[in-house]
């Protein structure tokens, strides 16, 4: 055996052993390999990109401003220009990808990037493009309280939760295997150090929080586990041991239909 071949085999063995030890295995055989991230330049989106890369996925980032995206995301991702308000830009963004994770969110209560335009119509445009692309899976970051029209956030922020529910509904009706993740209040701590609660029914509750990094972990694990498909759930963090058995965590959720 040549030195070069022996080195290559050794490197492959080390990569496989490291992946097994850290749980950072690539996608399931036959599962999605190349993932489009919408909202990749956002606070949660950029963590989703890192988490996908750490788990061996190829990543394409949808961005309105490609220079800003390159600066934010580095050189390990493909970047494609697009705007969720403009369906004409989305077909090319989806072409050649297997799955999509969306963490897009309105940039103001009013104006062109208001909740109706982004959290509903923008998400619906993504769903329509995913259907046309025959995407294998769509993971959507929505919000706790999406089914609560009287939630005070609606008054403050352009009926955001009402529009988020309509975006979710478009996804659930699409026929694409999906996961809808509804986090509580987002924080910027590192995460990974608490138990994550998964709940269903969107009951009115006190203030709950979760880190954006933990939301990113959930989104990527949802791609890796078929048990996450066709589920909608609220999530927050509480004191306790971090999740190790993601399969069991998703399997404990009721499918939406
Ligand atoms: N903040 C909370 O406590 C909270 C709680 C529950 C759920 N959520 C939801 O969680 C998600 C992530 O929140 P975040 O605070 O991490 O988000 P964020 O930092 O506000 O990022 C929003 C992302 O959406 C993108 N976007 C907006 N309009 C777009 C358009 N027309 N076309 C393409 N991309 C567009 C932005 O791109 P640009 O960089 O180009 O603007 C950005 O990448 C959002 O859906 C949010 O509503 C938030």
């Amino acid at each position: 055996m040549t030195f070069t071949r022996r080195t290559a085999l050794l490197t492959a063995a080390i990569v496989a052993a490291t992946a097994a030890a850290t749980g950072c295995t690539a996608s399931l055989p036959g599962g999605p390999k190349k993932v489009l991230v919408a909202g990749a330049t956002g606070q949660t989106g950029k963590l989703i990109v890192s988490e996908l890369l750490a788990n061996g996925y190829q990543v394409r980032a949808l961005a309105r401003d490609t220079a800003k995206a390159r600066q934010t995301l580095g050189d390990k991702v493909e970047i494609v220009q697009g705007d969720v308000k403009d369906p004409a830009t989305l077909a090319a963004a989806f072409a050649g990808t297997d799955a999509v994770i969306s963490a897009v969110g309105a940039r103001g209560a009013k104006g062109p990037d208001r909740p109706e335009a982004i959290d509903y119509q923008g998400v619906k445009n993504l769903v329509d493009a995913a259907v046309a692309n025959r995407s294998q899976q769509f993971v959507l970051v929505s919000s706790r309280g999406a089914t609560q029209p009287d939630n005070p956030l609606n008054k403050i922020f352009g009926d955001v939760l009402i529009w988020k529910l309509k975006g979710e509904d478009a996804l659930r009706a699409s026929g694409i295997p999906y996961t809808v993740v509804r986090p509580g209040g987002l924080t910027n701590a590192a995460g990974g150090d608490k138990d994550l609660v998964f709940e269903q029914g969107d009951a009115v509750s006190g203030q709950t929080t979760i880190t954006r990094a933990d939301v990113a972990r959930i989104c990527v694990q949802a791609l890796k586990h078929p048990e996450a498909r066709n589920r909608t759930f609220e999530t927050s963090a509480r004191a306790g041991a971090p999740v190790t058995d993601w399969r069991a965590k998703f399997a404990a959720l009721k499918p939406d239909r």
Side-chain angles (χ1 to χ4, degrees), residues 143-226:
S143 178
R144 180 183 283 276
T147 65
Q148 300 165 11
D150 295 333
N151 190 301
L153 203 53
N154 283 319
K155 274 213 167 59
I156 300 165
F157 202 71
D159 283 336
V160 61
L161 297 171
I162 290 170
W163 294 115
K164 275 190 180 294
L165 181 62
K166 284 181 72 86
E168 289 184 7
D169 286 343
L171 176 57
R172 280 186 286 263
S174 69
I176 302 175
Y178 66 83
T179 308
V180 175
V181 182
R182 292 173 169 167
L186 299 178
T187 71
N188 287 329
D193 57 349
K194 288 199 170 72
D195 183 24
L196 300 179
V197 182
F198 286 7
E199 296 171 284
Q200 289 176 296
D202 199 23
V204 177
S205 63
Q207 179 74 12
T208 64
T209 61
I210 182 168
T211 71
R212 288 180 167 89
D214 280 335
V215 173
R217 287 184 186 97
I218 293 168
C219 290
V220 174
Q221 292 298 329
L223 285 186
K224 292 171 79 167
H225 292 87

Side-chain angles (χ1 to χ4, degrees), residues 29-227:
K33 291 178 178 53
K34 186 163 188 171
V35 183
L36 179 69
V37 180
T41 50
Q43 297 178 87
T44 306
K46 67 184 179 193
L47 299 174
I48 291 171
V49 169
S50 317
E51 189 68 14
L52 284 166
L53 291 173
N55 279 270
Y57 290 93
Q58 296 168 50
V59 179
R60 181 181 293 164
L62 176 75
R64 296 192 283 189
D65 178 340
T66 55
K68 172 183 162 186
R70 183 59 73 203
Q71 203 173 23
T72 309
L73 303 173
D75 57 7
K76 292 195 173 62
V77 299
E78 207 184 308
I79 292 169
V80 61
Q81 205 282 332
D83 186 320
V84 298
K85 298 194 298 292
D86 180 2
T89 62
L90 299 180
F94 273 80
T97 63
D98 308 309
V100 54
I101 301 178
S102 172
V104 294
R107 285 304 206 183
K110 293 184 177 153
D113 293 330
R114 66 194 180 281
E116 178 184 3
I118 306 302
D119 296 283
Y120 169 51
Q121 193 58 57
V123 167
K124 185 169 183 320
N125 290 341
L126 287 171
V127 169
D128 291 345
V131 170
N133 186 54
R134 298 171 188 257
S135 296
Q136 290 178 30
Q137 198 170 345
F138 193 132
V139 179
L140 175 65
V141 180
S142 178
S143 178
R144 180 183 283 276
T147 65
Q148 300 165 11
D150 295 333
N151 190 301
L153 203 53
N154 283 319
K155 274 213 167 59
I156 300 165
F157 202 71
D159 283 336
V160 61
L161 297 171
I162 290 170
W163 294 115
K164 275 190 180 294
L165 181 62
K166 284 181 72 86
E168 289 184 7
D169 286 343
L171 176 57
R172 280 186 286 263
S174 69
I176 302 175
Y178 66 83
T179 308
V180 175
V181 182
R182 292 173 169 167
L186 299 178
T187 71
N188 287 329
D193 57 349
K194 288 199 170 72
D195 183 24
L196 300 179
V197 182
F198 286 7
E199 296 171 284
Q200 289 176 296
D202 199 23
V204 177
S205 63
Q207 179 74 12
T208 64
T209 61
I210 182 168
T211 71
R212 288 180 167 89
D214 280 335
V215 173
R217 287 184 186 97
I218 293 168
C219 290
V220 174
Q221 292 298 329
L223 285 186
K224 292 171 79 167
H225 292 87
E227 294 82 2

